[in-house]
Amino acid sequence: MNTIFAVLLVFVGCCSNVVFLELLVRKFPGCGNIVTFAQFAFIALEGFIFETNFGRKKPAIPMSNYVIMVTMFFTVSVINNYALNFNIAMPLHMIFRSNTGAEGSEEQDVYALLHWLLGIAMLTFALLMSARMGIFQETLYKQYGKHSKEALFYNHCLPLPGFLLLSSDIYNHCVLFSQSTPVEVPVIGQAVPVMWLYLLINVITQYVCIRGVFILTTECASLTVTLVVTLRKFISLIISILYFKNPFTAWHWVGTAVVFLGTLIYTEVWTSVRMALRGKEELKEKKAE
């Protein structure tokens, strides 16, 4: 039941989160740092109140392990959002795509290509780091038990001082957000800058998304979590293409085929593994008898 609930949180939270992230990025492509900071601050505050009871509850997992996990998590989050500064379109940000740019001089084209390749390298590094973090989390949960809410809190609380290094960029985007077009919020009857509204909804949906991912890491193997997240990215890609009219290139079709092929292979392999393990258990029981 927890697994189904976690998968539901991942798909609903993450897919809706991508919509509002794209609304933010389309207006201010370099807003990744303020988005990341707002997400971390909100989730850390929620965890501080409801998980740690205002700091009175001690962690079940040693803090030294959290420091390692947090280093990886913070690096992945910042790099993923910062990659948006390198001409990375949102569909490519979800799964890699062929990016078409405007015509220009040869030097400009070379510079744009190198700029774009740097963004791809950042996303690739973040992807590998994320996979390693998943394995590390799985190992911790086996050793110390399942503590998804605790891990969620420390992964978002401990990195907060690191945002001091990004404070000037965050402040500049606060100013830009405040200068955006005001819209009236029906519930409170007040007009607020639209970018702040988008950011608020993005933060809430990110909490739902990441909460689902952390629950999933306690219920499933890291490979299963990776599969679920990959399928979620594929659905987010389709939403981005249909809603925001992003192009669907030949590379998208290749990526789509790979996603489905990987899903089918995983399903078949996992089924075979489970049947083999079940056969071994039944054989042991017969020998014991």
Side-chain angles (χ1 to χ4, degrees):
M1 187 63 183
N2 284 342
T3 303
I4 297 174
F5 177 67
V7 171
L8 184 64
L9 289 180
V10 169
F11 278 89
V12 173
C14 297
C15 290
S16 55
N17 175 263
V18 167
V19 172
F20 289 96
L21 178 60
E22 182 148 1
L23 289 170
L24 289 164
V25 169
R26 280 180 170 241
K27 184 68 175 178
F28 299 110
C31 69
N33 289 331
I34 188 174
V35 172
T36 309
F37 171 72
Q39 292 171 352
F40 274 56
F42 176 84
I43 296 172
L45 179 62
E46 188 275 341
F48 180 72
I49 297 171
F50 297 105
E51 172 58 23
T52 70
N53 192 19
F54 296 94
R56 288 192 286 266
K57 179 182 175 183
K58 293 183 178 180
I61 298 175
M63 195 61 65
S64 58
N65 289 318
Y66 276 127
V67 170
I68 297 172
M69 190 191 302
V70 161
T71 302
M72 292 188 284
F73 185 69
F74 179 73
T75 303
V76 169
S77 298
V78 171
I79 288 179
N80 268 330
N81 284 327
Y82 198 70
L84 294 169
N85 293 336
F86 292 85
N87 300 327
I88 303 295
M90 278 304 300
L92 177 58
H93 196 259
M94 291 177 275
I95 59 174
F96 294 167
R97 57 157 279 188
S98 174
N99 203 7
T100 305
E103 293 184 0
S105 67
E106 186 175 343
E107 289 184 0
Q108 288 175 331
D109 290 342
V110 171
Y111 174 78
L113 177 61
L114 293 175
H115 200 64
W116 183 77
L117 289 175
L118 179 58
I120 294 295
M122 292 172 68
L123 287 176
T124 303
F125 175 79
L127 182 66
L128 295 173
M129 179 73 78
S130 180
R132 180 65 186 88
M133 185 180 72
I135 296 171
F136 183 68
Q137 282 179 312
E138 186 178 348
T139 303
L140 288 181
Y141 293 150
K142 285 181 179 178
Q143 185 175 356
Y144 298 103
K146 301 174 181 180
H147 304 281
S148 62
K149 285 203 69 178
E150 179 184 291
L152 183 65
F153 166 70
Y154 284 106
N155 270 274
H156 288 82
C157 178
L158 295 181
L160 287 177
F163 286 100
L164 290 173
L165 301 173
L166 310 170
S167 57
S168 60
D169 180 72
I170 293 172
Y171 174 77
N172 291 336
H173 279 89
C174 283
V175 175
L176 292 173
F177 278 24
S178 298
Q179 294 172 348
S180 61
T181 306
V183 293
E184 187 172 342
V185 181
V187 179
I188 62 175
Q190 295 289 329
V192 298
V194 67
M195 298 305 289
W196 284 114
L197 182 61
Y198 289 160
L199 181 62
L200 175 63
I201 301 174
N202 175 270
V203 166
I204 294 172
T205 54
Q206 173 65 14
Y207 171 75
V208 175
C209 169
I210 200 67
R211 176 75 184 280
V213 171
F214 271 74
I215 294 174
L216 208 58
T217 58
T218 64
E219 300 295 329
C220 308
S222 59
L223 183 58
T224 305
V225 178
T226 302
L227 174 67
V228 172
V229 172
T230 301
L231 289 175
R232 191 280 303 170
K233 289 180 180 181
F234 173 69
I235 293 175
S236 297
L237 172 69
I238 298 301
I239 293 173
S240 178
I241 290 166
L242 295 178
Y243 185 77
F244 292 100
K245 309 298 181 184
N246 285 310
F248 198 87
T249 67
W251 285 108
H252 284 101
W253 288 111
V254 172
T256 301
V258 170
V259 168
F260 279 110
L261 179 62
T263 304
L264 290 173
I265 291 174
Y266 173 82
T267 304
E268 291 297 324
V269 170
W270 182 239
T271 302
S272 301
V273 169
R274 282 192 301 177
M275 289 179 65
L277 291 174
R278 188 178 301 170
K280 287 183 179 179
E281 289 177 359
E282 290 175 355
L283 186 61
K284 286 181 180 179
E285 288 176 359
K286 287 180 180 179
K287 287 182 178 180
E289 292 174 356

